[in-house]
């Protein structure tokens, strides 16, 4: 029987042990997997960062008023709000669509104004 030498996918050191072993130790396995998942993780981190910023802006605007707050869309943009990112949608009985970022959201009133609201289902 010929035994074929195997080498670690990360550090290229010889591997000893089970025949299906691919890495020499847990450190090499973790390092290899972290490198290969980095591109996906970077994308998720960027999106989550924007979602947190959006929520923070909505919370700030909501706290400035008493209850629901009518605010110019430009003000939201100047604060760094990105209208492309939200966590979920709610449609009211009139057909108005609320876009939420976690527990805060907004309803587009017209092209220049939005109504910032806090989730009533908490």
């Amino acid at each position: 029987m010929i035994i074929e030498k195997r080498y670690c996918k990360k550090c290229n050191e010889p591997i000893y042990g089970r025949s299906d072993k691919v890495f020499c130790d847990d450190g090499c396995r973790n390092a290899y997997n972290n490198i290969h998942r980095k591109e996906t993780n970077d994308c998720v981190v960027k999106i989550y960062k924007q979602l947190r910023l959006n929520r923070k802006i909505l919370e700030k605007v909501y706290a400035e008023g008493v209850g629901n707050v009518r605010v110019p869309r430009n003000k939201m943009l100047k604060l760094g709000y990105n209208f492309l990112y939200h966590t979920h949608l709610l449609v009211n009985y009139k057909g108005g669509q609320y876009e939420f970022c976690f527990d805060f959201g907004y309803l587009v009133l017209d092209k220049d104004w939005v109504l910032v609201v806090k989730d009533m289902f908490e």
Side-chain angles (χ1 to χ4, degrees):
M1 182 162 102
I2 299 173
I3 298 175
E4 188 177 318
K5 269 206 164 191
R6 294 168 294 123
Y7 296 93
C8 177
K9 276 183 149 182
K10 174 69 177 138
C11 69
N12 248 359
E13 292 293 318
I15 297 176
Y16 304 102
R18 293 181 5 198
S19 62
D20 62 342
K21 200 171 175 182
V22 180
F23 301 100
C24 61
D25 62 20
D26 287 339
C28 279
R29 179 178 48 81
N30 288 333
Y32 179 86
N33 288 329
N34 286 342
I35 289 168
H36 284 79
R37 291 184 188 136
K38 185 173 177 10
E39 291 174 6
T40 303
N41 289 342
D42 286 348
C43 178
V44 171
V45 167
K46 286 177 185 175
I47 291 170
Y48 188 66
K49 189 175 179 181
Q50 184 62 54
L51 287 171
R52 283 188 320 196
L53 176 63
N54 281 356
R55 186 201 176 278
K56 186 177 177 181
I57 291 168
L58 289 170
E59 182 180 31
K60 179 182 177 184
V61 169
Y62 186 83
E64 289 174 357
V66 179
N68 299 343
V69 180
R70 189 171 180 252
V71 63
R73 184 179 164 94
N74 283 341
K75 179 179 179 181
M76 302 280 285
L77 291 170
K78 285 178 186 173
L79 292 171
Y81 196 88
N82 187 333
F83 285 92
L84 297 177
Y85 294 94
H86 56 272
T87 56
H88 61 286
L89 303 172
L90 276 176
V91 179
N92 65 11
Y93 66 94
K94 293 180 180 177
Q97 182 172 293
Y98 290 85
E99 294 188 15
F100 278 88
C101 196
F102 302 105
D103 55 337
F104 289 94
Y106 67 90
L107 171 69
V108 176
L109 299 174
D110 60 39
K111 67 177 185 165
D112 296 327
W113 290 88
V114 296
L115 180 70
V116 176
V117 299
K118 185 164 172 52
D119 191 356
M120 59 198 114
F121 300 110
E122 273 189 348

